[in-house]
Amino acid sequence: MGKAEPGVSEMRLPLTGYRILSAEQYGAGPYGTMFLAQLGAEVIKIEPPKLGDTARAVGPHYLREGESLYFQSFNLNKRSLTLDLTVPEGQAVLRRLAATSHAVANNMRGDLAAKLGLTYAALAEINPAIVCAHLSAYGRDNPRAKWPGYDYLMQAEAGFLALTGEPDGPPVRFGLSMVDFMTGTMMTIGLLAALIDAARTGTGRDVDVDLLSSAVHQTSYPAMWYLNEGDVTSRAPRSAHPSVTPSQMFRTADGWLFVMAQLPKFWTVLTDRIGRPDLALDARFASPDARLANRDALTEALDAVFEQQTTRHWLDLLRGYMPVAPVNALDEALDNPFLAETGMIDRVAHPDRADLRVLASPIRLDGKRLPNRAGPLLGADTDAVLAEAGFDPGEIDGLKQRGIV
């Protein structure tokens, strides 16, 4: 268990007592189920024998051979069971475990869940209340079901790249796999909702999310603008908001500052605190529409001001009065003292590193961060999970000898 605030280890976690099997790999599915594990569910990660989740091999940083820091990013608080789902004996083990579980999750290719017995149709006869959550690239019921797919492809097809970057540059993807994380979170929401219904009715169901649908859903208000008005949102300079200004990056003497005068009152605050009330009186900038029409001129005027002092100077002058933030490099973002103050950086004990630093859950219960423990070594819980399911030592040894677990 990671270091935590006083009383966290005794925290009443809301998903305590729930068992979730998850045939998962890489990022999207594991990211979603990690929330369940941090909230108290027993998440049993089903991995192929010997090789395990492909995330264990993702470099460049490792704890030991086949145990990566990348894997730890998505698998805190889980248990690891090695199980070959492609053979009848493995399917028999899965069904035995599913009989006493509340949910089964997977992030397989769209056509594989049914083949591997991970659907409600396959498991309802042994557990009518089980919830089966599926995260795939394009869905399970359309011509793309067999297509492999990854986050970056979804960013490309859903229009994210075309909305990101400078207007005169090439399309740009997010620096992180945000579609994976969005979709994993959406899967978790659907799974939890289905669990509530199953507890009421005794009947489970399938829950489906896919990367492309999730990505398209995130186009939100630009989608509404286009679908109803034919208005195609384009890229604006300096990562600016499409319809409000100033809401963008500005150069400072030593870097960049993001300023968001989203509301008229913040425009007044900005001009007053930087000592340029004359800008608010300038006819070119006197109203939101005028500022938008004259964005380039306003950017030039504000650059001339902000370039006179450092980012720290402007933060000290503006923060707390209006929305403003430094444009940090990743190291600066993670070394931010505010993260230490709020407990967003945690420490857990791993067999290869006694003081492994990890990100805390953004969710708090009763004001406290959720407890963490390191992600499991491959197959670390296989014997215990099988024994808890009623397999005797002889059965477990036989499964090992035949390569089933």
Side-chain angles (χ1 to χ4, degrees):
M1 192 71 69
K3 294 179 181 178
E5 301 168 63
V8 168
S9 59
E10 295 81 35
M11 186 183 295
R12 181 170 56 87
L13 297 173
L15 296 182
T16 298
Y18 282 87
R19 170 178 282 188
I20 297 162
L21 309 175
S22 190
E24 58 181 31
Q25 61 180 336
Y26 218 61
Y31 180 80
T33 58
M34 185 169 68
F35 281 97
L36 303 174
Q38 290 172 316
L39 287 164
E42 178 192 6
V43 175
I44 299 173
K45 184 179 180 73
I46 299 176
E47 304 185 66
K50 297 182 181 179
L51 297 176
D53 182 347
T54 54
R56 293 185 183 272
V58 175
H61 302 293
Y62 297 90
L63 295 164
R64 65 174 72 179
E65 185 177 356
E67 293 293 340
S68 71
L69 284 179
Y70 181 94
F71 175 83
Q72 291 294 319
S73 303
F74 308 111
N75 291 288
L76 300 176
N77 292 28
K78 298 178 185 178
R79 306 175 81 189
S80 173
L81 165 72
T82 53
L83 181 62
D84 186 350
L85 293 174
T86 67
V87 298
E89 280 190 275
Q91 283 292 306
V93 174
L94 171 67
R95 291 169 67 81
R96 195 157 159 183
L97 293 170
T100 56
S101 297
H102 297 87
V104 176
N106 79 88
N107 65 322
M108 302 284 186
R109 200 177 68 201
D111 63 320
L112 293 180
K115 294 178 181 178
L116 296 175
L118 300 170
T119 63
Y120 186 71
L123 298 173
E125 64 178 346
I126 60 168
N127 186 349
I130 200 159
V131 170
C132 297
H134 312 278
L135 189 162
S136 59
Y138 301 103
R140 298 187 300 128
D141 58 354
N142 60 66
R144 293 194 187 186
K146 294 183 179 181
W147 289 21
Y150 291 99
D151 178 291
Y152 296 178
L153 303 180
M154 309 308 156
Q155 291 192 38
E157 187 167 358
F160 287 20
L161 272 70
L163 287 168
T164 308
E166 291 298 308
D168 56 353
V172 177
R173 69 167 176 85
F174 284 14
L176 296 166
S177 298
M178 295 307 298
V179 176
D180 276 350
F181 308 149
M182 295 169 186
T183 312
T185 304
M186 293 177 190
M187 179 190 73
T188 298
I189 294 170
L191 186 153
L192 289 172
L195 281 179
I196 292 171
D197 183 63
R200 284 194 303 238
T201 65
T203 303
R205 66 179 69 199
D206 288 305
V207 175
D208 279 89
V209 295
D210 65 85
L211 296 176
L212 184 58
S213 294
S214 298
V216 171
H217 191 265
Q218 296 303 303
T219 59
S220 60
Y221 60 88
M224 292 291 287
W225 293 345
Y226 171 71
L227 292 172
N228 294 282
E229 301 296 336
D231 180 4
V232 179
T233 299
S234 58
R235 285 177 275 173
R238 304 280 186 88
S239 297
H241 190 280
S243 60
V244 177
T245 194
S247 183
Q248 64 184 69
M249 292 190 297
F250 292 98
R251 293 183 186 275
T252 67
D254 62 350
W256 293 90
L257 184 73
F258 212 110
V259 175
M260 298 188 72
Q262 296 290 107
L263 303 176
K265 68 176 182 179
F266 291 135
W267 167 241
T268 303
V269 169
L270 174 64
T271 55
D272 285 348
R273 294 197 67 78
I274 65 174
R276 291 297 305 275
D278 58 298
L279 290 175
L281 301 176
D282 190 314
R284 296 172 299 168
F285 315 134
S287 70
D289 288 344
R291 290 193 288 277
L292 184 61
N294 295 284
R295 189 203 301 267
D296 291 345
L298 181 56
T299 297
E300 184 178 351
L302 289 174
D303 269 351
V305 176
F306 287 124
E307 287 176 343
Q308 296 174 16
Q309 298 289 346
T310 65
T311 299
R312 173 53 56 190
H313 170 86
W314 297 116
L315 286 172
D316 289 343
L317 191 70
L318 296 173
R319 62 185 176 184
Y321 295 94
M322 66 170 297
V324 62
V327 180
N328 285 332
L330 183 62
D331 56 344
E332 295 171 315
L334 292 173
D335 289 337
N336 185 347
F338 186 68
L339 299 187
E341 293 172 14
T342 59
M344 261 308 296
I345 307 298
D346 198 3
R347 297 176 187 270
V348 298
H350 184 277
D352 298 326
R353 189 172 299 182
D355 201 27
L356 182 66
R357 299 177 76 198
V358 301
L359 298 177
S361 172
I363 297 173
R364 296 186 185 203
L365 296 179
D366 301 319
K368 298 173 183 175
R369 297 281 181 192
L370 303 177
N372 278 322
R373 65 176 186 273
L377 297 176
L378 178 61
D381 305 288
T382 297
D383 286 8
V385 169
L386 294 177
E388 291 162 10
F391 289 84
D392 63 43
E395 288 179 294
I396 296 172
D397 286 343
L399 290 169
K400 288 181 178 179
Q401 291 171 13
R402 294 188 295 278
I404 307 303
V405 300

